[in-house]
Amino acid sequence: MIVILVPALFYYIRGELKFLPNDLHYVFNIQPATVILGHNTMYAIDIFSGNSPVDYSWSWRSVSMYLNVVLYLMLGPYLFLMGYKKAKHQENRPKPWYWYVGASLCIGSLLIIPSEIMKQKVLANTKTSAAESRQRDMMRTELAEVGFALAQYEILEDGIDESFQVEDLNLEGLKFQYTVESVQFDTLITLVGSIPDQPEVTVTMEVRPYNQSVIKQRN
């Protein structure tokens, strides 16, 4: 009841009834380092926007980081241990009230573990997504060069038919793989770029050699 109902009641009073200050939840923050991350984010935004960044200072949020460390790593285990020792010497082993408070704080400190696991998973997914986006952007840039070369080949050479391959353009230094998906006469050529070790990452381009808009990327 302490672990579930008390936090729920706290957030209800703070969020719905507006009875408590909004920053009061920093007292029970299981990840004090989020305050530092938030400050560094605002610091970077100020630098890039040309404003004077606000340096670290003593404030309620900065002090709350130390309170969190004392609360979860020192006070919680201390109350839990002292309550256990006192109950051990009692006949019926009744737990004093501060044993429940210490146990609740210890359980709250254990929530750091799944929170950190989730954070690491999100970070890994973000890195993977960022790497894929970077590869896709590089492929789009290179695909534009291949598309213009393809349009030039159609206009200046003998034209493009079903037997045409991108290798016929004699382009050197291509980092990605490109194939002609379809050829509809001389008005529309569909070119697809892909990564050799990641075939699911593709970019499609429509090449219209005789149109005012020569190339058009679909994704």
Side-chain angles (χ1 to χ4, degrees):
M1 290 178 62
I2 293 176
V3 174
I4 298 176
L5 296 183
V6 171
L9 182 63
F10 170 78
Y11 284 106
Y12 175 77
I13 295 175
R14 187 180 65 88
E16 299 295 333
L17 302 182
K18 308 295 183 182
F19 181 72
L20 298 175
N22 290 331
D23 286 347
L24 188 61
H25 69 279
Y26 282 101
V27 176
F28 307 102
N29 185 11
I30 61 174
Q31 291 185 314
T34 55
V35 178
I36 299 177
L37 295 176
H39 184 276
N40 289 343
T41 301
M42 298 305 299
Y43 194 94
I45 292 175
D46 288 338
I47 291 177
F48 282 106
S49 60
N51 299 324
S52 238
V54 179
D55 206 348
Y56 286 96
S57 61
W58 287 102
S59 64
W60 163 243
R61 293 188 181 183
S62 60
V63 172
S64 70
M65 294 189 297
Y66 298 98
L67 294 178
N68 298 144
V69 174
V70 173
L71 188 66
Y72 288 111
L73 301 183
M74 299 174 65
L75 183 61
Y78 175 77
L79 294 178
F80 179 78
L81 181 61
M82 295 303 296
Y84 174 78
K85 286 185 176 180
K86 183 174 182 180
K88 187 177 180 181
H89 294 88
Q90 301 294 329
E91 182 178 355
N92 297 327
R93 303 177 69 89
K95 301 295 190 302
W97 64 269
Y98 50 84
W99 181 90
Y100 294 96
V101 176
S104 301
L105 293 176
C106 290
I107 293 175
S109 64
L110 293 178
L111 295 177
I112 298 174
I113 298 175
S115 179
E116 283 296 327
I117 293 175
M118 291 180 60
K119 183 187 295 185
Q120 293 300 321
K121 287 186 176 180
V122 170
L123 181 60
N125 292 337
T126 302
K127 288 183 177 180
T128 302
S129 178
E132 182 178 315
S133 298
R134 182 167 58 252
Q135 292 280 1
R136 195 183 294 272
D137 290 339
M138 294 172 60
M139 184 164 52
R140 286 194 182 100
T141 302
E142 192 174 81
L143 183 60
E145 299 177 5
V146 177
F148 279 115
L150 187 65
Q152 183 180 6
Y153 185 91
E154 162 63 30
I155 296 173
L156 300 180
E157 302 296 334
D158 296 333
I160 296 175
D161 53 22
E162 296 293 342
S163 63
F164 174 81
Q165 295 182 352
V166 176
E167 288 76 9
D168 298 337
L169 299 176
N170 295 323
L171 296 175
E172 298 180 357
L174 294 180
K175 298 180 180 179
F176 304 99
Q177 183 176 352
Y178 304 97
T179 57
V180 176
E181 187 177 73
S182 64
V183 179
Q184 299 181 13
F185 302 102
D186 57 357
T187 58
L188 176 60
I189 304 168
T190 304
L191 188 63
V192 178
S194 61
I195 304 176
D197 56 344
Q198 294 177 286
E200 70 280 358
V201 181
T202 61
V203 175
T204 303
M205 172 176 287
E206 295 178 352
V207 181
R208 302 176 186 269
Y210 304 100
N211 197 309
Q212 184 176 2
S213 179
V214 178
I215 60 176
K216 179 181 180 182
Q217 291 189 3
R218 277 196 249 162
N219 53 1

